[in-house]
Amino acid sequence: MKLVICGSGGHARSVLDIVLQNNDFEVIGCIDTQYPMLKDVPLMEDVPIIGDDTYLQDIYNEGIKHIFIAIGSNHLRKKIYDYVTEIGFEAVNIISPFSIISPRAKLGKGICIMPGAIVNVNTIIGNNCIINTNCSIDHDCIIGDHCHVAPGVSMSGSVTVEEGAHIGTGTSVIDKIHIGRWAYVGAGAAVVNDIAKDTLAYGVPAKKRGN
Protein backbone atom coordinates (compact mmCIF):
# COMPACT_ATOMS: atom_id res chain seq x y z
CA MET A 1 0.00 0.00 0.00
CA LYS A 2 1.57 3.27 -1.14
CA LEU A 3 1.79 6.06 1.44
CA VAL A 4 2.75 9.73 1.43
CA ILE A 5 3.81 11.41 4.66
CA CYS A 6 3.34 15.12 5.45
CA GLY A 7 6.36 16.51 7.29
CA SER A 8 10.07 15.77 7.45
CA GLY A 9 11.07 16.94 10.94
CA GLY A 10 11.81 15.02 14.11
CA HIS A 11 8.30 13.64 14.56
CA ALA A 12 8.20 12.59 10.91
CA ARG A 13 11.48 10.73 11.34
CA SER A 14 10.04 8.86 14.33
CA VAL A 15 7.00 7.92 12.26
CA LEU A 16 9.14 6.87 9.32
CA ASP A 17 11.25 4.69 11.59
CA ILE A 18 8.14 2.69 12.54
CA VAL A 19 6.85 2.50 8.96
CA LEU A 20 10.15 1.42 7.43
CA GLN A 21 10.66 -1.30 10.04
CA ASN A 22 7.16 -2.77 9.68
CA ASN A 23 6.95 -2.87 5.87
CA ASP A 24 3.17 -2.35 6.04
CA PHE A 25 3.36 0.56 3.60
CA GLU A 26 5.47 1.61 0.64
CA VAL A 27 6.54 5.18 1.41
CA ILE A 28 6.70 7.13 -1.84
CA GLY A 29 8.11 10.18 -0.06
CA CYS A 30 7.36 13.14 2.18
CA ILE A 31 5.69 16.49 1.66
CA ASP A 32 7.37 19.53 3.19
CA THR A 33 7.05 23.30 2.73
CA GLN A 34 10.86 23.57 2.38
CA TYR A 35 10.77 21.74 -0.94
CA PRO A 36 12.64 22.21 -3.33
CA MET A 37 15.40 23.49 -1.03
CA LEU A 38 15.14 20.16 0.78
CA LYS A 39 15.14 17.11 -1.46
CA ASP A 40 15.58 14.42 1.22
CA VAL A 41 14.43 13.97 4.80
CA PRO A 42 17.20 15.30 7.09
CA LEU A 43 19.16 12.44 8.67
CA MET A 44 17.15 9.97 6.53
CA GLU A 45 18.53 10.67 3.08
CA ASP A 46 17.01 7.46 1.70
CA VAL A 47 13.54 9.05 1.96
CA PRO A 48 12.85 11.73 -0.69
CA ILE A 49 10.85 14.91 -0.29
CA ILE A 50 8.61 14.92 -3.33
CA GLY A 51 6.89 18.30 -3.08
CA ASP A 52 5.12 20.82 -0.88
CA ASP A 53 1.44 21.10 0.06
CA THR A 54 0.50 22.29 -3.43
CA TYR A 55 1.47 18.86 -4.81
CA LEU A 56 -1.07 16.94 -2.71
CA GLN A 57 -3.96 17.12 -5.18
CA ASP A 58 -1.69 15.90 -7.99
CA ILE A 59 -0.38 13.05 -5.81
CA TYR A 60 -3.95 11.97 -5.07
CA ASN A 61 -4.86 12.18 -8.76
CA GLU A 62 -1.90 9.88 -9.52
CA GLY A 63 -3.53 7.17 -7.40
CA ILE A 64 -1.84 7.61 -4.01
CA LYS A 65 -4.82 7.42 -1.64
CA HIS A 66 -3.20 6.91 1.78
CA ILE A 67 -1.53 9.59 3.87
CA PHE A 68 -0.12 10.25 7.32
CA ILE A 69 0.35 13.72 8.82
CA ALA A 70 3.57 13.63 10.82
CA ILE A 71 3.61 17.15 12.23
CA GLY A 72 3.97 17.98 15.92
CA SER A 73 1.88 21.19 16.06
CA ASN A 74 -1.71 20.29 16.89
CA HIS A 75 -3.14 23.34 15.11
CA LEU A 76 -1.15 22.75 11.92
CA ARG A 77 -1.78 19.02 12.00
CA LYS A 78 -5.55 19.66 12.20
CA LYS A 79 -5.41 22.16 9.33
CA ILE A 80 -3.59 19.70 7.07
CA TYR A 81 -5.76 16.76 8.18
CA ASP A 82 -8.90 18.68 7.23
CA TYR A 83 -7.37 19.64 3.88
CA VAL A 84 -6.20 16.17 2.85
CA THR A 85 -9.40 14.43 3.92
CA GLU A 86 -11.34 16.98 1.85
CA ILE A 87 -9.20 16.00 -1.14
CA GLY A 88 -10.13 12.38 -0.49
CA PHE A 89 -7.04 10.90 1.16
CA GLU A 90 -7.49 8.19 3.80
CA ALA A 91 -5.41 8.88 6.91
CA VAL A 92 -3.81 5.65 8.16
CA ASN A 93 -2.69 4.65 11.64
CA ILE A 94 1.00 4.13 12.35
CA ILE A 95 1.33 1.85 15.38
CA SER A 96 4.60 0.60 16.82
CA PRO A 97 4.73 -3.16 17.42
CA PHE A 98 6.37 -2.25 20.74
CA SER A 99 3.22 -0.51 22.03
CA ILE A 100 0.46 -2.23 24.01
CA ILE A 101 -3.13 -1.55 23.00
CA SER A 102 -6.15 -3.20 24.57
CA PRO A 103 -8.36 -5.00 22.04
CA ARG A 104 -11.23 -3.13 23.73
CA ALA A 105 -9.75 0.28 22.98
CA LYS A 106 -11.19 2.23 20.05
CA LEU A 107 -8.93 4.09 17.64
CA GLY A 108 -9.80 6.75 15.10
CA LYS A 109 -7.83 7.53 11.94
CA GLY A 110 -4.44 9.15 11.38
CA ILE A 111 -3.10 8.16 14.81
CA CYS A 112 0.52 7.49 15.66
CA ILE A 113 1.19 5.26 18.68
CA MET A 114 4.88 5.24 19.52
CA PRO A 115 7.07 2.53 21.11
CA GLY A 116 6.37 1.80 24.75
CA ALA A 117 2.96 3.48 24.77
CA ILE A 118 0.10 1.74 26.58
CA VAL A 119 -3.57 2.28 25.75
CA ASN A 120 -5.77 0.45 28.21
CA VAL A 121 -9.27 -1.05 28.14
CA ASN A 122 -12.23 0.97 26.81
CA THR A 123 -10.12 4.03 26.05
CA ILE A 124 -11.12 5.99 22.94
CA ILE A 125 -8.50 7.79 20.85
CA GLY A 126 -9.83 10.32 18.35
CA ASN A 127 -8.55 11.12 14.86
CA ASN A 128 -5.14 12.61 14.07
CA CYS A 129 -3.63 12.12 17.55
CA ILE A 130 -0.06 11.54 18.70
CA ILE A 131 0.28 8.98 21.48
CA ASN A 132 3.97 9.37 22.13
CA THR A 133 6.82 7.25 23.47
CA ASN A 134 6.37 5.51 26.83
CA CYS A 135 3.12 7.25 27.72
CA SER A 136 0.41 5.38 29.61
CA ILE A 137 -3.31 5.99 29.10
CA ASP A 138 -5.35 3.95 31.52
CA HIS A 139 -8.90 2.56 31.36
CA ASP A 140 -11.96 4.42 30.08
CA CYS A 141 -10.17 7.58 28.96
CA ILE A 142 -11.37 9.71 26.05
CA ILE A 143 -8.77 11.51 23.94
CA GLY A 144 -10.32 13.91 21.42
CA ASP A 145 -9.25 14.60 17.84
CA HIS A 146 -5.90 16.29 17.12
CA CYS A 147 -4.44 15.81 20.63
CA HIS A 148 -0.83 15.12 21.58
CA VAL A 149 -0.05 12.98 24.60
CA ALA A 150 3.69 13.57 24.90
CA PRO A 151 6.44 11.13 25.95
CA GLY A 152 6.26 9.77 29.46
CA VAL A 153 2.77 11.02 30.30
CA SER A 154 1.00 8.95 32.96
CA MET A 155 -2.77 9.25 32.74
CA SER A 156 -5.06 7.52 35.23
CA GLY A 157 -8.50 6.12 34.43
CA SER A 158 -11.58 7.96 33.18
CA VAL A 159 -9.72 11.10 32.08
CA THR A 160 -11.24 13.19 29.28
CA VAL A 161 -8.97 15.24 27.02
CA GLU A 162 -10.85 17.38 24.53
CA GLU A 163 -9.93 18.29 20.95
CA GLY A 164 -6.50 19.72 20.27
CA ALA A 165 -5.14 19.59 23.81
CA HIS A 166 -1.43 19.04 24.44
CA ILE A 167 -0.31 17.07 27.49
CA GLY A 168 3.39 17.81 28.02
CA THR A 169 6.25 15.41 28.54
CA GLY A 170 6.29 13.61 31.88
CA THR A 171 2.94 14.97 33.04
CA SER A 172 0.85 12.98 35.52
CA VAL A 173 -2.94 13.18 35.41
CA ILE A 174 -5.08 11.75 38.21
CA ASP A 175 -8.34 9.89 37.53
CA LYS A 176 -11.55 11.58 36.30
CA ILE A 177 -9.83 14.81 35.28
CA HIS A 178 -11.29 16.87 32.42
CA ILE A 179 -8.89 18.82 30.17
CA GLY A 180 -10.60 21.30 27.84
CA ARG A 181 -10.17 21.73 24.10
CA TRP A 182 -6.92 23.29 22.93
CA ALA A 183 -5.55 23.47 26.47
CA TYR A 184 -1.77 23.21 26.82
CA VAL A 185 -0.35 21.41 29.85
CA GLY A 186 3.37 22.03 30.30
CA ALA A 187 5.98 19.36 30.85
CA GLY A 188 6.28 17.72 34.24
CA ALA A 189 2.93 18.93 35.52
CA ALA A 190 0.79 17.16 38.08
CA VAL A 191 -2.82 17.60 37.02
CA VAL A 192 -5.08 17.17 40.04
CA ASN A 193 -7.84 19.60 39.01
CA ASP A 194 -9.71 20.13 35.77
CA ILE A 195 -8.08 22.36 33.14
CA ALA A 196 -10.33 24.76 31.22
CA LYS A 197 -10.31 25.07 27.42
CA ASP A 198 -7.69 27.30 25.76
CA THR A 199 -5.67 27.41 28.98
CA LEU A 200 -1.94 27.20 29.55
CA ALA A 201 -1.29 25.27 32.77
CA TYR A 202 1.84 23.85 34.36
CA GLY A 203 3.47 23.16 37.70
CA VAL A 204 3.00 20.84 40.67
CA PRO A 205 0.09 21.01 41.07
CA ALA A 206 -0.79 22.32 37.61
CA LYS A 207 -2.31 25.79 37.70
CA LYS A 208 -3.55 28.22 35.06
CA ARG A 209 -0.70 30.42 33.87
CA GLY A 210 -2.28 32.06 30.84
CA ASN A 211 -4.42 31.60 27.74
Side-chain angles (χ1 to χ4, degrees):
M1 186 183 300
K2 293 183 178 180
L3 176 70
V4 62
I5 290 178
C6 289
S8 68
H11 179 55
R13 290 193 291 274
S14 295
V15 169
L16 282 164
D17 190 53
I18 296 172
V19 175
L20 297 175
Q21 288 183 64
N22 290 354
N23 295 315
D24 292 332
F25 301 100
E26 177 189 349
V27 178
I28 66 161
C30 292
I31 293 293
D32 195 279
T33 56
Q34 295 186 67
Y35 179 87
M37 291 182 292
L38 275 181
K39 295 295 181 67
D40 304 300
V41 174
L43 305 178
M44 298 184 82
E45 287 77 12
D46 54 324
V47 181
I49 296 174
I50 57 175
D52 59 23
D53 296 357
T54 63
Y55 285 68
L56 284 165
Q57 183 68 65
D58 290 340
I59 290 169
Y60 182 81
N61 292 343
E62 290 170 5
I64 310 302
K65 306 299 184 184
H66 296 92
I67 198 165
F68 189 85
I69 299 121
I71 293 170
S73 165
N74 291 355
H75 286 280
L76 182 56
R77 197 169 65 255
K78 178 187 185 304
K79 180 180 178 181
I80 296 175
Y81 181 88
D82 291 344
Y83 175 60
V84 299
T85 52
E86 184 177 342
I87 288 173
F89 282 103
E90 180 181 348
V92 302
N93 290 340
I94 305 298
I95 298 175
S96 170
F98 303 107
S99 62
I100 299 173
I101 303 170
S102 168
R104 294 181 181 272
K106 296 181 180 179
L107 305 182
K109 297 181 179 180
I111 300 165
C112 182
I113 302 183
M114 291 291 187
I118 300 172
V119 179
N120 219 324
V121 61
N122 296 332
T123 282
I124 299 171
I125 308 292
N127 298 326
N128 197 32
C129 288
I130 302 171
I131 309 301
N132 223 319
T133 308
N134 287 336
C135 70
S136 175
I137 303 174
D138 217 310
H139 63 86
D140 305 309
C141 291
I142 300 173
I143 310 297
D145 296 346
H146 319 298
C147 289
H148 183 177
V149 181
V153 168
S154 180
M155 190 177 296
S156 296
S158 302
V159 171
T160 298
V161 181
E162 292 193 356
E163 177 187 16
H166 176 98
I167 314 300
T169 298
T171 291
S172 297
V173 185
I174 67 168
D175 60 302
K176 300 180 182 178
I177 287 294
H178 186 280
I179 297 174
R181 60 194 307 270
W182 300 104
Y184 191 103
V185 180
V191 183
V192 298
N193 296 296
D194 291 348
I195 304 294
K197 67 178 183 178
D198 300 316
T199 294
L200 169 65
Y202 56 88
V204 181
K207 296 181 179 180
K208 179 179 179 180
R209 312 288 178 169
N211 295 321

